[in-house]
Each structure stands twice: as C-alpha cells, then as structure tokens.
Amino acid sequence: MPSNKSVSDAPIVQFTNCRILRSHQLQREDLWVREGKILNPEKLFFDEKGSADIQLDCKDSIIAPGFIDVQINGGFGVDFSLATDDFKSGIDLVSQKILSHGVTSFCPTLVTSPPSVYHQVLPQISIRNGGAHGAGILAGAHLEGPFISKEKKGAHPEHCLRTFEEGAFQDLLATYGSLDRVRIVTLAPEMKRSSEVIRELTKQGICVSLGHSVANLSQAEEAVQDGATFITHLFNAMLPFHHRDPGIVGLLTSDKIPAGRRVFYGMISDGIHTNPAALRIAHRAHPKGLVLVTDAIAGMGLAPGRHTLGQQVVEIDGLNTYIAGNCGTCSVSPCFPGTKTLSGSVATMDTCVRHFQEATGCSVETALEAASLHPAQLLGIEHKKGTLNYDSDADFLMLNDSLYVQATYIAGEEVWRQKVLGM
C-alpha cells in the first residue's frame, strides 16, 4: 500500500457512501479529511501517492457544511446579555449544546444593554475555533443596539437606547468599551450621524447591519453605499413594505447597490416571526442574500415559562416568546399576562432550516446553504467555513433526507452523534 508519510504523519479519513454538498449541488462522492482540512483526492492519489488510513461508511447520509448562526442571544438558560461572574461557563454551555443542532460556529449576540454590560461581557468573549468543547466563535460578537429606533425597539429596553452625539464614533466606542471582539453591529441608519459611524465601522472590518429602524429606502441605500452589508431579521422591527416606499425591505431589489456588493439579510424561519408567504417573497426576490438565523434567547431548549432577554423578562408559550407585561395591580413585576411584543426565538437552527425548506419549496441544497455558505460569505470567511471545498476547514454535518442532524464534525473530528434507540 502506498505510504502517506511523505507529506504528513496525520491519518487520512475517507467518508464513503455519502452525498456531499459542493458547488451548490449534492454530489455522490467521497469526502477526504486530514488535519482538520478537506483534501483534494486527486492531489492525494497522484502527487502524494497516498490512500486512506480510515474509512467510514456514511450509510447514504447527506454531508453538508456546519451551520453558522450570526444572531443567537443565548439558550439553555444562558443569556449573553447578562453580565455574570460565570459568563464563560455559560457561553461554553451554549456552544456545546448547539452542536446537536448542527451549529459549528456562531456570533454570540447582545441585545440593547447599559454600557456596563458591554464593558463586562465583551472582554469575556474569546474568539476561538470549535471542537469537542463546542461550536467556534470565529468572528466575534453581534451587538444589536443600543443605537436603534425607539419606534421599532421591539424587545429592547427603551431606557437603554442611545443616539449618536457629537463625535458619534467615539460615543459608540465609549458605549461598547472596545471593538476587539465585535464582528457585527446592528443600528438604525436614519439616526443622525449614522453615516460616519457606518463608514468607520466598515473601515475597521466590522459588518454593519440595518435593523430596529424606521428608515426609508433612500436612507437604507445610503447606508449600504457607506458600507452596510446586512439586514437584521428582515420584516421584523422595521417599517412594513409599502409600494411607494418599501423601506429597508426594498434593498432586496434595489438598483442602487454598489457594483460587486451583495446585501445579505437575516430571516428567523421559526414559523412565528415570519409568515411562510413572506419567506417565499424574500427568497424569490433575493435568494443569494438569505441568511437563516435563530435569534434564540435563553429559553431555547427549556420548558415554557419565564426567562430573560437582557434587561427584560419574557414569557414562552410553545414557540411564541413575548415580553412579559405588568398589569399594575399586583406586587409581581412583571406579571402575566404579558405583551404581544415578540422577543426572540426558541427555535434551533436545524428546525429553522427544515421550516425554510418546507415553507419555500426550495431545494435541499438551497436550504442548507442559507445556514452555512451565506453566513460565511457575510462574515468574509467563506474561504475556510461554510463550504466543503478543498482546503477548507472540515466542519460538517451528516443529515438524513429529512434534514435531521445525525452527527456533527469540527476539524474532521466527531463532536456529537445522535444516539440510536436501544444502543
């Protein structure tokens, strides 16, 4: 047998009997992995004269890139917007738990909070690769607010909202404390001085997202021309589509987008936040920009009841999550019944992928890429994440034909597998 030792002593693993998502198609071929990377078998055979050390039968599974969640506020009882002494253990718990739902990378998201929370939490977010310990935090945090519209604040606490004052970017820096561990900032582009903030954030390599906003289309287009590239949870917390001025939604078909630029948009495909018809409209208007996000809160994975979202208390009833209300007549604050203001989701990413595919009737490939390739492109990491191209990171999933996750791999190592009943 030819030796593999000429290039590396690391074992070569060959995944057989599978359908691989590559170049936008499911292709029936084997997947080769060494040292956490996807190998080109032709180079292995002809240049290295190598062969597999280990063969794994995938039993006709789909192999797709690992999911990337760019908007997740917490889960399993952990709220990323709460400054606690054991914040690190909380984020470790979430990163471990989401492996079973196919998420191999994520951006921990903080909702509108007092400056003290950002100053305490952000230094505790470590940008790191994924592994057996959990999904990777590869690009940094997503800061959703506090520079957003009062009229479209949604579940964000009004007393923490801020506007840009003189020296707008310095004001933002003072609020957050540092941008070292920040990858996405959601803001309302209609706010005064937002243009200079967008330009400076973009210059520093931070993705600017438009959301929680009453911006009209021209204001949104100007923000994109200044460097914004993302829309936070399309349709939610923004002006509804109107035929004379479609607002931020109009960016999906705008002819004012700079050449070579793509606008991406997040969609919460949980069956609650967005009607299936709205999902279909967005997808058909701009399929290559759609990014599935969970917008998950601390209550994801927990029983119905009261949980937190930053400074707020929320009520969970099935897949519905609402800001808890206060009747003003009892000593419990807040008390039930609550408001009808939606406050994030409790749906997992694999659930969102399945719902999206069912609601839109799109191909399996399209549904999987909306949770992998597109968020990787948004973050500018598609050369190593979100694809199964040769030399990319071997972060991938095994799924059945119904898109249920059977196993999760990071850097070519199995980090989670569905238990088989009776085993």
Side-chain angles (χ1 to χ4, degrees), residues 344-366:
S345 168
V346 290
T348 57
M349 182 60 88
D350 55 328
T351 298
C352 291
V353 170
R354 290 190 296 271
H355 178 72
F356 172 64
Q357 201 270 333
E358 180 182 357
T360 62
C362 71
S363 67
V364 165
E365 293 93 332
T366 295

Side-chain angles (χ1 to χ4, degrees), residues 25 32 34 102 107 140 193 227 230 251 257 277 281 360:
Q25 291 184 328
W32 299 75
R34 178 175 61 197
C107 292
R193 306 181 184 90
F230 194 40
L251 289 176
I257 306 301
I281 288 170
T360 62

Side-chain angles (χ1 to χ4, degrees), residues 323-339:
I323 291 294
N326 188 345
C327 67
T329 62
C330 66
S331 59
V332 180
S333 178
C335 69
F336 191 81
T339 71

Side-chain angles (χ1 to χ4, degrees), residues 128-152:
R128 66 192 186 194
N129 289 320
H133 59 274
I137 305 173
L138 300 175
H142 177 171
L143 304 183
E144 188 185 0
F147 302 97
I148 58 175
S149 163
K150 176 181 175 181
E151 292 81 3
K152 292 294 179 181

Side-chain angles (χ1 to χ4, degrees), residues 90-105:
I91 206 166
D92 288 347
L93 173 68
V94 174
S95 67
Q96 221 289 318
K97 290 280 192 179
I98 57 180
L99 293 175
S100 64
H101 301 290
V103 178
T104 54
S105 306

Side-chain angles (χ1 to χ4, degrees), residues 237-421:
M238 62 186 61
L239 291 178
F241 178 89
H242 190 280
H243 58 283
R244 282 193 288 274
D245 191 334
I248 290 176
V249 177
L251 289 176
L252 272 61
T253 57
S254 170
D255 59 359
K256 301 287 196 309
I257 306 301
R261 180 91 57 80
R262 185 188 306 180
V263 173
F264 293 90
Y265 58 98
M267 294 291 284
I268 309 171
S269 176
D270 62 353
I272 303 294
H273 280 77
T274 312
N275 186 279
L279 274 175
R280 290 190 288 271
I281 288 170
H283 173 247
R284 293 173 189 177
H286 186 28
K288 292 184 178 180
L290 195 149
V291 174
L292 291 178
V293 300
T294 62
D295 198 19
I297 63 172
M300 178 179 66
L302 301 181
R306 282 207 188 122
H307 302 283
T308 64
L309 177 60
Q311 309 299 304
Q312 309 269 45
V313 176
V314 301
E315 291 280 354
I316 297 176
D317 179 14
L319 287 178
N320 293 285
T321 62
Y322 300 115
I323 291 294
N326 188 345
C327 67
T329 62
C330 66
S331 59
V332 180
S333 178
C335 69
F336 191 81
T339 71
K340 290 301 179 183
T341 300
L342 287 173
S343 56
S345 168
V346 290
T348 57
M349 182 60 88
D350 55 328
T351 298
C352 291
V353 170
R354 290 190 296 271
H355 178 72
F356 172 64
Q357 201 270 333
E358 180 182 357
T360 62
C362 71
S363 67
V364 165
E365 293 93 332
T366 295
L368 293 170
E369 288 187 341
S372 55
L373 174 61
H374 296 176
Q377 291 172 329
L378 167 71
L379 298 174
I381 57 174
E382 69 273 21
H383 61 290
K384 60 180 181 178
K385 303 289 182 185
T387 75
L388 297 178
N389 293 339
Y390 302 138
D391 299 321
S392 64
D393 293 349
D395 295 357
F396 59 88
L397 313 174
M398 288 186 187
L399 307 105
N400 63 20
D401 286 345
S402 299
L403 301 186
Y404 283 88
V405 180
Q406 299 173 316
T408 302
Y409 286 75
I410 294 181
E413 299 291 332
E414 182 181 296
V415 294
W416 180 84
R417 177 168 289 276
Q418 177 68 53
K419 292 181 181 179
V420 179
L421 293 177

